[in-house]
């Protein structure tokens, strides 16, 4: 258990928060305050993927020839972030309850497990889940009133997939459907839901762009499950990499990475996205390195500068996702500024 230390100066406190956010681990001096604790417990470091989904919807609405209710959009973005935080907490609670998360399982090795490490109690974890869900319920009600009942379909669909990912009886992660869960959630549900909340419409171009982007978060999950193959297979957790085997899982992950770029090019060609979206091609050199890395074995020893060992493929895929997703947003932002200036 990481013990809470004496109060630190603001600068040191901010540095601790930054470290916890970037690595999902407490800094060297331990859990310095409640903010650091909950940044670790909620695994807030993976939120950039959700924020990218939300901002993607914002920019698609900004460049579309439709009026958007920006208060609705802002509320929806907050809603998907809260939903992601709740999802992380729910997964840890469910995996602990069914005995999947143990002290020698990667979840407790790459970062302190909320319950097993003693960072929080089960009751505190439940309170965190409840707080996120109550806030999301309030946002859903406001958006239903301001837009229509389809908002509830997006919200409840996301809640169902979040619950079904790890919780009995479905446990989609255990039957090779967790990766599809993530593709649907980070794509059509998040991007489509935020876009619909602001515009009341959901054209095919938005769904296509959402699905293409969602390939990136799915590669992160695929990579994480490849990292967990030595643990999941013997435990009977049949993630997609367990089902298809490590070589095929790596090829599929590489194909999804390449598929993101191909998808953007196709969407630009059919004018579903503006040509400035091709800015993502600046990440191709990183793509080449990452694809090449997936052709090599895992290092025998924990490398320096990897705070989430034994995860190896997951952080590589995450850094690529952050770079490529960020460039996609930058390209759409450039077009939005151009359209606004005309």
């Amino acid at each position: 258990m990481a013990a809470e230390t004496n109060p630190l100066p603001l600068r040191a406190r901010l540095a601790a928060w930054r470290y916890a956010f970037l690595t999902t681990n407490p800094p060297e001096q331990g859990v310095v305050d409640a903010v650091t604790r909950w940044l670790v417990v909620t695994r807030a470091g993976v939120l950039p993927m959700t924020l990218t989904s939300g901002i993607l919807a914002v920019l698609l609405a900004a460049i579309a020839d439709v009026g958007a209710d920006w208060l609705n959009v802002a509320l929806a973005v907050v809603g998907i972030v809260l939903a992601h935080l709740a999802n992380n907490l729910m997964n840890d609670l469910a995996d602990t309850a069914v005995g999947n998360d143990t002290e020698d399982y990667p979840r407790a090795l790459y970062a302190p497990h909320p319950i097993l490490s003693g960072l929080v109690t089960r009751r505190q974890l439940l309170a965190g889940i409840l707080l996120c869900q109550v806030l999301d319920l309030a946002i859903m009600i406001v958006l239903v009133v301001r837009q229509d009942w389809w908002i509830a379909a997006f919200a409840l669909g996301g809640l169902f997939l979040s619950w079904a990912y790890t919780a009995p009886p479905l446990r989609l992660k255990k039957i090779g459907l967790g990766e599809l869960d993530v593709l649907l959630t980070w794509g059509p549900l998040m991007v489509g839901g935020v876009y619909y909340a602001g515009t009341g419409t959901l054209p095919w171009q938005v769904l296509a762009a959402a699905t293409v982007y969602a390939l990136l978060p799915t590669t992160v999950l695929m990579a994480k499950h490849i990292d967990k193959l030595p643990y999941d297979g013997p435990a009977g957790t049949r993630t997609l990499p367990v089902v298809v085997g490590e070589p095929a899982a790596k090829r599929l992950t590489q194909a999804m990475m390449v598929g993101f770029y191909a998808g953007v090019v196709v969407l630009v060609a059919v004018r579903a996205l503006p040509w400035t979206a091709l800015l993502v091609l600046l990440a191709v050199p990183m793509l080449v390195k990452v694809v090449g890395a997936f052709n090599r074995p895992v290092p025998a020893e924990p490398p320096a500068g990897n705070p989430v060992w034994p995860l190896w493929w997951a952080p590589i895929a995450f850094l690529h996702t952050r770079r490529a997703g960020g460039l996609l947003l930058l390209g759409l932002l450039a077009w939005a500024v151009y359209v606004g200036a005309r």
Side-chain angles (χ1 to χ4, degrees), residues 164-330:
Y165 181 76
T166 54
L170 294 179
R171 298 196 69 194
L172 299 178
K173 180 179 77 170
K174 197 169 182 178
I175 56 175
L177 294 177
E179 294 77 12
L180 178 60
D181 184 320
V182 166
L183 182 71
L184 293 174
T185 300
W186 266 260
L189 273 179
M190 284 191 179
V191 180
V194 172
Y195 188 94
Y196 186 86
T199 67
T201 62
L202 191 55
W204 71 266
Q205 293 92 333
V206 171
L207 288 175
T211 304
V212 166
Y213 166 69
L215 289 172
L216 293 177
T218 307
T219 65
V220 177
L221 184 67
M222 283 287 295
K224 188 175 182 180
H225 286 167
I226 294 172
D227 284 323
K228 292 182 175 182
L229 275 171
Y231 305 85
D232 286 338
T237 300
R238 295 181 59 78
T239 61
L240 187 56
V242 171
V243 172
V244 302
E246 181 174 344
K250 286 183 175 180
R251 302 296 85 78
L252 179 57
T253 303
Q254 292 168 320
M256 286 192 290
M257 290 176 179
V258 174
F260 164 76
Y261 296 89
V264 170
V265 171
V266 169
L267 291 178
V268 169
V270 299
R271 299 190 177 183
L273 287 177
W275 66 267
T276 52
L278 295 176
L279 196 65
V280 299
L281 297 179
L282 292 178
V284 167
M286 185 176 188
L287 168 70
V288 172
K289 293 180 180 178
V290 170
V291 168
F294 272 78
N295 291 327
R296 296 189 290 273
V298 178
E301 299 292 334
N306 184 343
V308 293
W309 186 264
L311 299 186
W312 173 251
W313 308 115
I316 292 174
F318 177 78
L319 291 175
H320 171 257
T321 291
R322 190 172 64 182
R323 173 77 61 84
L327 286 170
L328 175 61
L329 296 185
L330 188 59

Side-chain angles (χ1 to χ4, degrees), residues 140 143-144 147-157 189 193 196-197 200 202:
M140 184 192 77
L143 290 177
V144 165
Q147 189 57 264
D148 58 43
W149 281 99
W150 278 107
I151 296 297
F154 284 104
L156 295 178
L189 273 179
Y196 186 86
L202 191 55

Side-chain angles (χ1 to χ4, degrees), residues 152-168:
F154 284 104
L156 295 178
L159 178 61
F160 170 76
L161 289 177
S162 177
W163 164 80
Y165 181 76
T166 54

